[in-house]
Amino acid sequence: MKLFAIGAFALASLAAGSAAAQAAAPTNPGPVLPGVCVFHNERLLAQSTAGQSVQAGMQRLVTEVQGELAPYGASLQTEAQALQQGGQAADPDGSRMRAWQARAQEAQQLEQRRQAELQYTQQMQVRTIAQSADPILVAVYQERGCGLLLDRSAVYISNPAMDVTDIVIQRLNTALPSISFNRLEVPAQQQQ
């Protein structure tokens, strides 16, 4: 059984922007373009206290799920070895093998359900951050007199003076210092 590439993905996707944000900047970034602002959502998710609490919470949930699934994998592996070593004599009518296959399928379905729950939980927590950050971003947009707000992921290099990410992170840290959550079940209508 594969044990969670989702864990690595969940953490990497939240922190992906931090490496890109630290790329070498030019010594002369060019002029500040009035009315043009840049915002880096990935950096908000990676550096805000709420984003960091989501990263920590997701790591906790991944560890819990791995702990829940590990006994299934160990049991299935032990039974598979016993069947293999015992050969035909250990399972003359094939009933043990059929039972093992049924348990393996159940374990796989459980793992898939848990992966879906982790993905859904992460989506809901990121949505919570976005809902809290949106009014802050709109306020900063208006305060800075932005006429155009560009997503940093679509901009290769920009003058750092046009970047509003730091002020949005500061205000979000005040408005939403952390998020506490548990694993969420995927609603039935989204499971299909």
Side-chain angles (χ1 to χ4, degrees):
M1 281 181 19
K2 62 182 189 293
L3 280 184
F4 291 134
I6 182 71
F9 174 75
L11 298 176
S13 66
L14 285 173
S18 61
Q22 296 174 7
T27 54
N28 178 8
V32 173
L33 301 175
V36 177
C37 299
V38 177
F39 174 68
H40 196 195
N41 191 56
E42 289 82 12
R43 192 159 63 90
L44 174 99
L45 292 173
Q47 295 179 358
S48 67
T49 55
Q52 291 171 357
S53 70
V54 168
Q55 289 176 37
M58 289 305 300
Q59 180 59 53
R60 174 183 54 83
L61 293 178
V62 166
T63 301
E64 286 176 10
V65 168
Q66 287 173 336
E68 177 186 1
L69 295 176
Y72 289 99
S75 172
L76 287 167
Q77 186 174 11
T78 301
E79 180 68 11
Q81 288 173 346
L83 285 169
Q84 187 176 26
Q85 290 172 353
Q88 182 69 22
D91 189 19
D93 64 353
S95 61
R96 280 181 67 188
M97 178 55 87
R98 285 190 299 278
W100 180 88
Q101 289 171 335
R103 285 195 315 277
Q105 185 175 13
E106 289 170 7
Q108 184 178 21
Q109 289 170 345
L110 178 62
E111 181 179 10
Q112 290 170 347
R113 188 173 336 119
R114 294 298 182 253
Q115 285 179 343
E117 289 170 353
L118 289 172
Q119 289 172 340
Y120 179 73
T121 300
Q122 181 182 4
Q123 289 170 357
M124 292 299 99
Q125 303 321 308
V126 169
R127 180 180 291 172
T128 298
I129 293 172
Q131 289 172 339
S132 296
D134 280 349
I136 294 169
L137 187 56
V138 168
V140 170
Y141 176 91
Q142 292 172 340
E143 291 167 13
R144 291 277 183 102
C146 302
L148 176 65
L149 180 63
L150 300 172
D151 182 342
R152 175 61 180 95
S153 65
V155 175
Y156 187 70
I157 297 175
S158 66
N159 187 313
M162 298 185 316
D163 193 323
V164 298
T165 309
D166 288 335
I167 189 72
V168 174
I169 290 172
Q170 291 169 358
R171 292 182 185 179
L172 180 64
N173 287 347
T174 301
L176 186 66
S178 69
I179 299 176
S180 178
F181 58 93
N182 292 312
R183 189 177 69 233
L184 302 172
E185 288 187 34
V186 180
Q189 65 269 23
Q190 291 189 353
Q191 290 179 7
Q192 300 165 359

